[in-house]
Amino acid sequence: MTTFVDRVELHVAAGNGGHGCASVHREKFKPLGGPDGGNGGRGGDVTLVVDQSVTTLLEYHHSPHRKATNGQPGAGDNRSGKDGQDLVLTVPDGTVVLDKKGNVLADLVGQGTTFVAGQGGRGGLGNAALSSARRKAPGFALLGEPGEARDIVLELKTVADVALVGYPSAGKSSLISVLSAAKPKIADYPFTTLVPNLGVVTAGSTVYTIADVPGLIPGASQGRGLGLEFLRHVERCSVLVHVLDTATLESERDPVTDLDVIEEELKQYGGLEDRPRIVVLNKIDIPDGQDLADMIRPDLEERGYQVFEVSAVARTGLKELSYALAGIVAEARAAKPVEEATRIVIRPKAVDDAGFTVIYDEQEEVYRVRGEKPERWVRQTDFNNDEAVGYLADRLNRLGVEDALMKAGARAGDGVAIGSEDNAVVFDWEPTMMAGAEMLGRRGEDHRLEAPRPAAQRRRDREAERFDPQREYDEFDPF
């Protein structure tokens, strides 16, 4: 059974906002009590939080679909709906959040670091909040916005100070078991270690973490073996330790060649050239191993490596190794810039920033309006209510959308699309839709929407004629 997962695809969906309520206060002897519809509640967010007690993404491997709760709708008597509950997902320290295209959205390092993976939808305003001096009793309310839904990829990069790299069965797991209190699986066959092991080492006053990175063989950086799955775990380490087997039973291998092969794989992976290296010659408790270590040590030192001869079984040379690693880790920590508290930066929008753009789409023959406010207003509009549609027209007019359409060359009856290409609301533009409560009729109605639209009607007639099945039957009737 899989117990360690370091990469998952997660499908998150924030909660939808609750709809606003359209209600009129009713009380004895008060026939005109006024609007009292409450606002809808906010949808819950989906938030990722670093928890250092979590070490794997296994939970999300089994349950990849996560959704926050929706906000409750408003009610009469000015009762607002309850907000949806936020969904908090704990992830291991060192989790990287990416989108489907591989772009990094967040790098979560440090206890308590958070990232909002899905933003909850806003609740819709009730008609009590929409009433004004000109619109005293709105017969509509705004809809709640849908919550943000998207697919993200979580990748775990082990947060360790030291990474042990080397061929399978070189003794990395044995070494980490004697240097720390970790208890990895150990056996005398290749690929015993299928997951990175993490241990904590204390050397004097320095405490550091050490990770065993499994599965490195020739071609690992191109996906051969298990190396590509675990090479990402060495990216955050301060020092790399090459563990070389001086008592290998394979005649075609030798420690120096193993070192060159692993270095080539690290080079192909990239981004690790600046990390200090240490070479550990393991298994010197075996007579042939000690002899081979004595032969190759001068060559390795000539290359500039700091070499240590150890035996995980006999536990020799471990103290010198642990203190040497502690010194390198301490230097790396001291060289890092001091972390400062996160500064809050406020970037106000320019005064003349309209907040939207108008572009003519020649392929679809519509004018596209893109902007945060227009798109949000469209999502909040109940298009089954004429007065709500008229209120949307008023808001767009006050924002300057109508003037922008005129400057772009739009004429009466032209198609206007608000929103993205795959989820846009298309309507026929009528430039005479000017704001004014005096133009409203009964509650829930707007006479501005009843005006004839000659250009739009001509376009509908052409489309109906083009796709008339009776006409096609008459043209191809053989009798």
Side-chain angles (χ1 to χ4, degrees):
M1 178 180 178
T2 302
T3 58
F4 179 85
V5 175
D6 62 351
R7 190 180 192 277
V8 297
E9 183 175 334
L10 192 61
H11 312 278
V12 297
N16 300 327
H19 300 327
C21 175
S23 172
V24 176
H25 180 69
R26 300 183 184 277
E27 189 176 345
K28 191 175 182 180
F29 305 118
K30 290 185 178 181
L32 301 176
D36 67 347
N39 303 331
R42 177 188 62 85
D45 298 335
V46 179
T47 306
L48 305 179
V49 180
V50 173
D51 186 352
Q52 292 183 344
S53 64
V54 179
T55 59
T56 177
L57 300 172
L58 179 64
E59 179 183 357
Y60 310 118
H61 173 73
H62 294 306
S63 302
H65 296 271
R66 300 301 177 101
K67 187 181 188 306
T69 57
N70 299 329
Q72 298 299 313
D77 199 17
N78 294 306
R79 290 174 294 175
S80 297
K82 183 179 179 181
D83 291 341
Q85 186 175 1
D86 295 339
L87 177 62
V88 178
L89 306 178
T90 57
V91 295
D93 192 6
T95 300
V96 179
V97 186
L98 307 99
D99 60 14
K100 293 286 288 183
K101 298 181 179 179
N103 301 315
V104 177
L105 303 177
D107 192 354
L108 306 179
V109 179
Q111 176 70 22
T113 305
T114 61
F115 171 71
V116 179
Q119 187 78 40
R122 299 186 185 187
L125 296 179
N127 64 342
L130 296 173
S131 61
S132 63
R134 295 192 304 171
R135 196 186 300 267
K136 297 183 182 297
F140 67 97
L142 297 184
L143 304 179
E145 288 188 84
E148 184 180 9
R150 60 178 174 179
D151 299 334
I152 58 176
V153 176
L154 303 182
E155 282 189 355
L156 175 59
K157 295 182 180 179
T158 303
V159 180
D161 299 301
V162 180
L164 303 181
V165 296
Y167 265 73
S169 298
K172 301 185 298 296
S173 298
S174 300
L175 191 58
I176 198 174
S177 68
V178 295
L179 286 174
S180 67
K183 301 299 180 185
K185 180 182 178 181
I186 300 172
D188 59 351
Y189 52 86
F191 296 110
T192 304
T193 306
L194 300 179
V195 300
N197 297 305
L198 196 66
V200 180
V201 182
T202 302
S205 60
T206 305
V207 178
Y208 59 92
T209 54
I210 185 169
D212 165 19
V213 181
L216 296 187
I217 60 174
S221 60
Q222 281 74 42
R224 187 182 176 194
L226 305 175
L228 187 59
E229 295 295 324
F230 300 119
L231 271 171
R232 72 172 70 96
H233 292 280
V234 305
E235 291 185 19
R236 303 185 192 274
C237 298
S238 301
V239 55
L240 300 178
V241 177
H242 285 280
V243 181
L244 303 181
D245 185 359
T246 60
T248 178
L249 299 178
E250 300 178 31
S251 58
E252 67 275 8
R253 282 179 49 198
D254 66 87
V256 177
T257 303
D258 291 354
L259 173 64
D260 294 337
V261 170
I262 298 301
E263 275 293 335
E264 181 62 26
E265 295 305 319
L266 296 176
K267 179 181 178 181
Q268 292 294 329
Y269 187 75
L272 303 171
E273 295 79 8
D274 60 335
R275 311 300 165 82
R277 266 80 160 164
I278 283 182
V279 173
V280 172
L281 301 177
N282 194 20
K283 303 181 183 179
I284 62 171
D285 54 302
I286 301 175
D288 292 342
Q290 182 63 66
D291 295 340
L292 184 57
D294 295 337
M295 292 174 56
I296 64 175
R297 178 166 185 160
D299 183 20
L300 296 174
E301 291 178 343
E302 186 177 349
R303 295 189 183 188
Y305 291 109
Q306 190 176 1
V307 182
F308 292 87
E309 299 178 7
V310 303
S311 171
V313 175
R315 302 202 175 195
T316 58
L318 300 178
K319 185 175 181 181
E320 294 81 0
L321 174 62
S322 63
Y323 275 86
L325 293 174
I328 298 177
V329 170
E331 292 178 3
R333 292 174 179 174
K336 288 184 178 180
V338 179
E339 295 185 3
E340 299 180 356
T342 304
R343 299 175 60 186
I344 299 176
V345 180
I346 300 177
R347 296 183 175 89
K349 294 182 178 180
V351 176
D352 58 348
D353 184 7
F356 67 91
T357 58
V358 176
I359 300 176
Y360 182 67
D361 188 340
E362 297 182 358
Q363 183 176 0
E364 298 293 336
E365 296 182 351
V366 295
Y367 290 86
R368 293 197 176 276
V369 180
R370 297 300 307 273
E372 180 183 352
K373 284 186 178 180
E375 293 180 27
R376 185 175 76 245
W377 293 345
V378 166
R379 291 193 298 266
Q380 292 177 328
T381 300
D382 180 8
F383 287 93
N384 295 320
N385 186 301
D386 291 345
E387 189 179 353
V389 178
Y391 178 71
L392 172 64
D394 293 345
R395 301 178 86 180
L396 295 176
N397 184 34
R398 289 195 298 269
L399 186 62
V401 174
E402 186 162 317
D403 293 338
L405 287 171
M406 289 182 178
K407 293 179 181 179
R411 295 180 299 175
D414 288 345
V416 175
I418 301 180
S420 59
E421 295 184 4
D422 55 346
N423 189 24
V425 174
V426 183
F427 60 92
D428 299 321
W429 183 50
E430 179 54 54
T432 59
M433 283 189 178
M434 302 300 292
E438 67 279 356
M439 302 182 67
L440 299 178
R442 294 177 298 177
R443 294 179 68 252
E445 297 180 355
D446 193 325
H447 295 312
R448 294 173 293 179
L449 303 178
E450 300 175 1
R453 304 177 186 176
Q457 188 60 44
R458 287 195 299 270
R459 186 171 67 256
R460 295 193 188 97
D461 293 341
R462 288 197 301 268
E463 292 178 355
E465 184 179 356
R466 185 188 311 169
F467 299 104
D468 185 6
Q470 182 61 38
R471 178 188 174 197
E472 294 181 0
Y473 178 78
D474 294 340
E475 291 179 353
F476 298 100
D477 187 359
F479 304 102

